[in-house]
Amino acid sequence: MAKRIIEKGLCELYAEDAERADWLVFGRRAGAGRRGFLKGAGLATMSAIVGAAIPFHRHMPAGLIPAALADELKDFQIEGKDGLVVLNDRPVNAETPAELLDDPVTPTERLFIRNHGNLPDSTDAQGWKLTVDGEVATPLELTIDDLKSRFEPVTQPLQLECAGNGRAAFNPPVSGGQWTVGAIGCPEWTGVRLTDVLDAAGLKPSAIYTAHYGADTHLSGDPAKLTLSRGVPIERAKNPSSLIVFELNGAPLYPMNGAPLRLLIPGWAGSCSQKWLTRISLRDQVHDGPGMTGKSYRVPSQPVEPGADVPEANMAIIGSMPVKSLITHPATNSQIAGLSSEVRGHAWAGDRKVEALDLSLDFGASWQPAELQDPVNPYAWQNWRAEVRFPQPGYYEVWARATDDQGVTQPFGVTWNPGGYLNNVMHRIALTVAG
Ligand SMILES: Nc1nc2c(c(=O)[nH]1)N[C@H]1C(S)=C(S)[C@@H](COP(=O)(O)O)O[C@H]1N2
Ligand SMILES: [Mo]
C-alpha cells in the first residue's frame, strides 16, 4: 500500500488561522470557548483529546496546538466522529477503518468526511435558502421548512462513496486524498425527492443536466472561485432515490456532512452529492463546473497503462460506482481462537444490485459463497455473513469478492487511471488462527 500523504499539518493550519482551525477541529464556531484562553466546552474537549486534565489550562492560549498532537494526526479526533483516520486537516478529510463500518446502518460518527474547501460561515438551518433555476418554467426559492411542508418526506439508508476511495493503492501513486477503503458509508437519510422539487419548478424540455452549488468557500479564500460544482444527467436526477436531505440518522445533518441541506445521489460518485446545498440550476448542456472537466471525476474510456498521460478527449465523466465489498468483521490482524469464525461485511454496486458474495481463504484458489441479503431499499448496501472454517492453525487471508447482477466481478488488481478513481479491488484481511 502506498504511503499516506498528509497534505497540510495541524500546526500549519493553526498558524494560518487559529479560529478557523478551531472550527475545523472542534466543529463549532471559534470564540465560543477558546477565544483568549481555554475554558468551558473547549477545555473539556481539549482535555479529552490529550487524555488528561490540564492543570495550567488558564495559561493555555487559544490556538495553541498541544504538543501531544503536533505531528500525530492519527491520534487526532474530530468532535462528533469516532475513530476516523484523518488524511489531512485543511480541508478536513477523514475515513473510517473497515472494522468500524460493521453496523448495517452507518452511525453518523462513523461516516467519512470529504471536503474540498473551507466550511461555510454558517450551517444554520434558520434562513437557509435553496434556489432552483435555469431551464425551468418557475424558478423557486425554498426554505428548509418549505421543503418539509410542500414535499413528501423520505427516510432511507443509502450509500455514499467517494470516487477516490481506494486511491492509496494506485501504483504509480496518484495525487489527491490517499483513501484506503473507508470513504464509504450507508447511513439513514431523511429528505425529499429531487424529482418532486424539479416537478414543482416545471422542467423545460431543454433541461438535460443539473448543476449543483454549495456554500463552502474556496481554499484560496477567493470568493469568486467555487470549490466544487458537479451535476448529473436529468434521468439520474429524476431517479426517486435522488434526494435533497436535511437529516442524517434521525438528527439534523452533522456540520461537516453538509448541514443544513445537501444532495444525495446514492450509488454515484460522492462528489455528485453536493453538501451545504444552496442552488440547483438546470442546464441545456452537460455541466462544466469545477469537478466536471479535465482529470476531475473522469476516467479513460478505454483501459490505459499505469502512469499513462491520457488526452482529455479520451476521458469520460464517472457515473455509477462499480461493484465492491468490504469485510467489517473480524478486524484485520485479529487473532482467532478456535478453528472457525464469523466473517461479515457489506457489498454494493452503484446502480446495480449485488448478486453474489464469495470468500476465499486460500489466496483466491477456491471460493465459497457467503449469505447475502437483499438491499432494504434500492441503493442501500447489502449485508453479508459467513461462518468460515480454517483447516489448521496459522496465518490466513480472507478475501471478499462481490459480483453484480450483470456478472461483473471485483478485480484482483487496481485498474489504473490518472485521477485515482473507482478502485474496486477485492478487500483482504489478515487473520492469525490460534486453533
Ligand atoms: N459543497 C461541497 N459538496 C461536496 C464536497 C465538497 O467539498 N463541497 N465534497 C464531495 C465529495 S468528493 C464527496 S465524496 C462527498 C462526501 O460527503 P461526506 O463528507 O458527507 O462524507 O461530498 C461531496 N459534496
Ligand atoms: Mo469524493
Side-chain angles (χ1 to χ4, degrees), residues 214-263:
D216 47 340
T217 59
H218 198 267
L219 275 185
S220 66
D222 182 348
K225 285 191 182 161
L226 293 172
T227 52
L228 175 81
S229 174
R230 302 209 59 222
V232 295
I234 201 68
E235 283 319 311
R236 189 60 180 81
K238 286 181 177 169
N239 183 304
S241 298
S242 296
L243 304 181
I244 300 174
V245 304
F246 33 78
E247 279 181 22
L248 174 55
N249 292 321
L253 282 169
Y254 174 84
M256 288 196 237
N257 294 121
L261 196 68
R262 75 174 298 168
L263 262 181

Side-chain angles (χ1 to χ4, degrees), residues 113-138:
I113 298 172
R114 198 296 183 234
N115 293 337
H116 285 78
N118 300 311
L119 294 193
D121 284 334
S122 165
T123 57
D124 196 348
Q126 203 64 41
W128 196 271
K129 291 216 175 70
L130 171 67
T131 302
V132 182
D133 63 8
E135 304 296 310
V136 294
T138 320

